[in-house]
Amino acid sequence: MTRTRTPAVSDWFTGEGDGFRLLGTRCTSCASVFFPREDSHCRNPHCAGGALEEVPLSRTGRIWSYTDSRYRPPSPYVSNPELPWEPYALIAVELQSERIVVLGQTVPGVTVADLTVGMEVEVVPGVLDEDAETTWTTWQWRPTGVTA
Amino acid sequence: MAADGGDGMTADVAVLGVGMHPWGKWGRSFVEYGTAAARAALADAGLDWPDVDSVVGADTVRGGYPGYVAGATFAKALGWQGARVASVYAACASGAQAIATARAQILAGLADVVLVVGADAAPKGFFRPAGGDRPDDPDWLRFRLLGATNPTYFGLYARRRIAVHGDTPEDFALVKVKNAALGALNPYARYRKRVTAEEVAASAVVADPLRLLDICATSDGGAALLLCSLDFARRHGAARPVRIRAVSTVTPRFPNTVLDLPDIATDSAVAVPAPDETFRASIARTAYEEAGIGPEDLSLAEVYDLSTALELQWYEDLGLCGEGEGAKLLREGATAPGGRIPVNTSGGLASFGEAVPAQAIAQVCEVTWQLREVAGDRQVAGARVGITANQGLFGHGSSVVAVR
């Protein structure tokens, strides 16, 4: 049986492979960018508020900081309690042109030992978890040049 | 108008009584901890419960409906006596919001005597969001999409300090060593054993680079204050009470460019430049300005050491030292007992573990004992001015300045 690939959160990212991008919104009046997307009103307190248009965010950025999760997080994070817990790294990435820091998991196999603050990373599609019918997809960060 | 006899300050309220229920994992209801703390504060103040005009409860989200209406829950448990009531929630800053509410009522002349109470009964393990599928809730999303527990944010901040300021895990461990030694002297602390740097280094990594002994636990506990007008304090025979001179409850300024719990991203600074000071620094500055003091006037500080590394961050945010100099200040012994500005003489969260709505109130209890010079082996000699600082997730600043 084939599982349906479904984003774990709606309208936060789009595309496949090299075309994969995080999606934010931008105020057409003041040019502030929002991620997670802001669809109702610009949050810049000095802006009267313009229409918010969807924009793809930069594909690459630099590591602001990183850490990992050595213990199993509680629900609603989904993990199989029957399998040993496999720690994964989390990276906060600074996107230069948007002047924003976005948190994400790393791709599987990358650990904190592989990371340094300031390192360039790129956003790639990944799998958050799977159930009987659905593969829940997400965004992940990967050091640039790593193809594994 | 000089309400307190001549120094011109009109915004002070008196701390007539303080009380705490010991922190721990007692397995009982938060109501029990809160009412025990309230009774202790009443006894400390020499007041009876029917003397109280108003009750302000700091809410807990872990006690069901009674937790959301904590003020009324405590009032009922103490015995309905008709006092006005308020319940406030601001995550870790809930206690400070409760103090701010009480102070506003007193200064507005709506109440003479206000009881402030916060208490929590914490679950085992990580804090987690409320149940149900709630994809519009950032707190739910960070767990669902990232498994980003509170300690992972502490890990990000700690790694950033290592990269930017050259802090080391050994520096972080020294914070725990200092605070554990103080907690060993505090009968209300949950952890009362001294800890060595070797023990910190041997504890398990939870969120790289932080280890188990770098990160505060979650605890049961309760704390209460009896606040009153200076006139009432004088009539009650308290000639020189500890006085709360400032309560800062500020929010961030757009764009908030430091990744903040429980957010997945910062604000963008592409259209509006980032403010000159961080949110945390603005919390303390606002308190200083309101109190008309500066960091050089402090005798002690109680800061929110959710992690060891965060205590160092607070040194800088409170202006106790320059940016990036927190570890140096610690290593010089300036923040230890006998130092220039002792920090977390209570033992801090390192010794208490976090009982969320009680914690900012407990900070004021410690400052009060210090200013009364009744803190026993923890006493800071000649303490005259104390500050507390904390930050609640979702953008809540909290800082209280007390003087005597």
Side-chain angles (χ1 to χ4, degrees), chain A residues 22-35:
Chain A
L22 290 170
L23 292 176
T25 55
R26 181 170 54 206
C27 174
T28 51
S29 175
C30 76
S32 285
V33 174
F34 299 100
F35 181 86

Side-chain angles (χ1 to χ4, degrees), chain B residues 98-188:
Chain B
I99 293 166
T101 302
R103 183 178 75 139
Q105 291 181 351
I106 292 167
L107 293 178
L110 297 173
D112 259 345
V113 181
V114 185
L115 173 66
V116 174
V117 192
D120 207 0
K124 185 173 162 50
F126 295 117
F127 283 146
R128 62 184 68 193
D133 267 10
R134 288 174 301 107
D136 54 351
D137 172 356
D139 195 49
W140 186 88
L141 282 168
R142 57 137 168 170
F143 281 96
R144 170 67 187 110
L145 297 176
L146 303 171
T149 60
N150 292 0
T152 62
Y153 286 77
F154 311 154
L156 290 169
Y157 303 144
R159 173 59 61 186
R160 180 77 184 166
R161 287 194 63 86
I162 289 172
V164 174
H165 301 313
D167 289 5
T168 66
E170 291 73 27
D171 294 327
F172 301 155
L174 285 180
V175 175
K176 177 70 175 187
V177 171
K178 172 183 73 73
N179 289 351
L182 285 157
L185 303 173
N186 190 338
Y188 294 102

Side-chain angles (χ1 to χ4, degrees), chain A residues 43, chain B residues 89-94 97 138-139 157 248-254 256 258-263 267 278-280 282-283 314 390-399:
Chain A
R43 288 194 289 103
Chain B
Y89 190 70
C92 302
S94 299
Q97 298 253 329
D139 195 49
Y157 303 144
S248 163
T249 54
V250 292
T251 50
R253 284 185 170 80
F254 183 89
N256 189 9
V258 179
L259 186 68
D260 210 352
L261 277 154
D263 294 335
D267 291 336
T278 63
F279 172 43
R280 264 194 301 267
S282 76
I283 296 169
W314 279 117
N390 98 12
Q391 180 186 0
L393 78 177
F394 285 99
H396 290 99
S398 151
S399 177

